[in-house]
Amino acid sequence: MARALLGVTGSVAAIRTSDLVTALSQAGHEVQVVATEPSLYFFDPTTLNVPVHRDADEWPASRYHRGDPVLHIVLRDWADLLILAPLDAQTLARLALGLSDNLLACVIRAWDYQKPLILAPAMNTRMWESPVTLRHLRTIFEDRAGHPWQADWSLETAAQRFAEYLPRIVLIPPQAKQLACGDFGIGAMAEVATIAEAVRAWNQLSPE
């Protein structure tokens, strides 16, 4: 089974963190969590039976000494795949722009793209449909594939583009439903079972 590193960001969908950890663990995967500080508003890390890392864990309380472990590299090396679920608009922007201003962003910036990266965005409908969202997805695609933007690039075709040209980056689009804010539209994180199935599919393709 896979060593799955779950990156949890500050979307309301972070309330599903416990469900997702349970689903991955029950499937036999070894799970660790990297949580952004805003995500901790939506779930209690002490209720998870897996390690949870946050920004304060990046460096020890005492001053750094040469040879001390660098947590975002340790986690990068440990993981077989990285799951960003929920992936909020802020972290999508960090991924596209290469910002590395928290522990999870450092893991993403240092990620080995020979290993899978699973993206499960979650945000308000107007945030998802913003031209900025499509621009960030295109930037991630072009930076990794070196492929020119397609005339038919859209939010509806983005997952297919990644699957065709960058299969190690799995985009699981959000779904349409009534959102936590009361709006109805596309933006809710995909179902936990859908995300767990993406991990299972990759694990089947991985060599023993």
Side-chain angles (χ1 to χ4, degrees):
M1 292 292 105
R3 292 189 298 263
L5 186 61
L6 174 60
V8 184
T9 72
S11 164
V12 178
I15 63 174
R16 304 301 304 278
T17 298
S18 179
D19 295 336
L20 184 50
V21 168
T22 297
L24 294 172
S25 298
Q26 289 180 344
H29 304 299
E30 188 177 351
V31 182
Q32 295 193 53
V33 172
V34 180
T36 65
E37 294 304 311
S39 76
L40 297 171
Y41 181 74
F42 301 107
F43 76 99
D44 181 356
T46 65
T47 64
L48 305 182
N49 294 317
V50 299
V52 179
H53 308 279
R54 53 194 297 180
D55 290 349
D57 301 320
E58 173 75 280
W59 305 111
S62 58
R63 194 171 300 278
Y64 172 82
H65 296 92
R66 182 175 294 275
D68 286 348
V70 177
L71 183 57
H72 63 271
I73 301 301
V74 171
L75 292 171
R76 186 276 312 273
D77 292 344
W78 173 85
D80 294 320
L81 73 165
L82 174 60
I83 309 158
L84 301 180
L87 172 61
D88 65 5
Q90 177 76 0
T91 306
L92 176 62
R94 286 186 170 102
L95 175 56
L97 301 176
L99 301 180
S100 48
D101 54 351
N102 62 29
L103 175 58
L104 179 58
C106 287
V107 173
I108 295 169
R109 180 64 182 263
W111 187 244
D112 175 2
Y113 282 87
Q114 295 302 308
K115 301 189 287 188
L117 171 64
I118 297 174
L119 310 177
M123 61 193 75
N124 178 267
T125 302
R126 295 208 175 178
M127 296 172 75
W128 173 248
E129 294 177 346
S130 166
V132 176
T133 301
L134 182 58
R135 185 162 70 246
H136 286 162
L137 290 172
R138 286 175 163 179
T139 298
I140 294 164
F141 174 88
E142 188 173 69
D143 284 351
R144 294 296 164 189
H147 197 281
W149 291 1
Q150 302 293 314
D152 60 346
W153 250 94
S154 67
L155 291 175
E156 291 72 25
T157 63
Q160 180 182 349
R161 287 284 169 260
F162 280 102
E164 289 175 350
Y165 296 104
L166 283 176
R168 286 186 175 84
I169 300 181
V170 179
L171 175 63
I172 305 176
Q175 58 181 318
K177 62 188 296 186
Q178 185 166 16
L179 307 177
C181 62
D183 290 354
F184 184 92
I186 297 175
M189 187 177 76
E191 296 295 334
V192 165
T194 303
I195 299 168
E197 171 59 22
V199 176
R200 186 202 65 79
W202 261 108
N203 188 63
Q204 280 195 327
L205 294 174
S206 299
E208 294 294 333

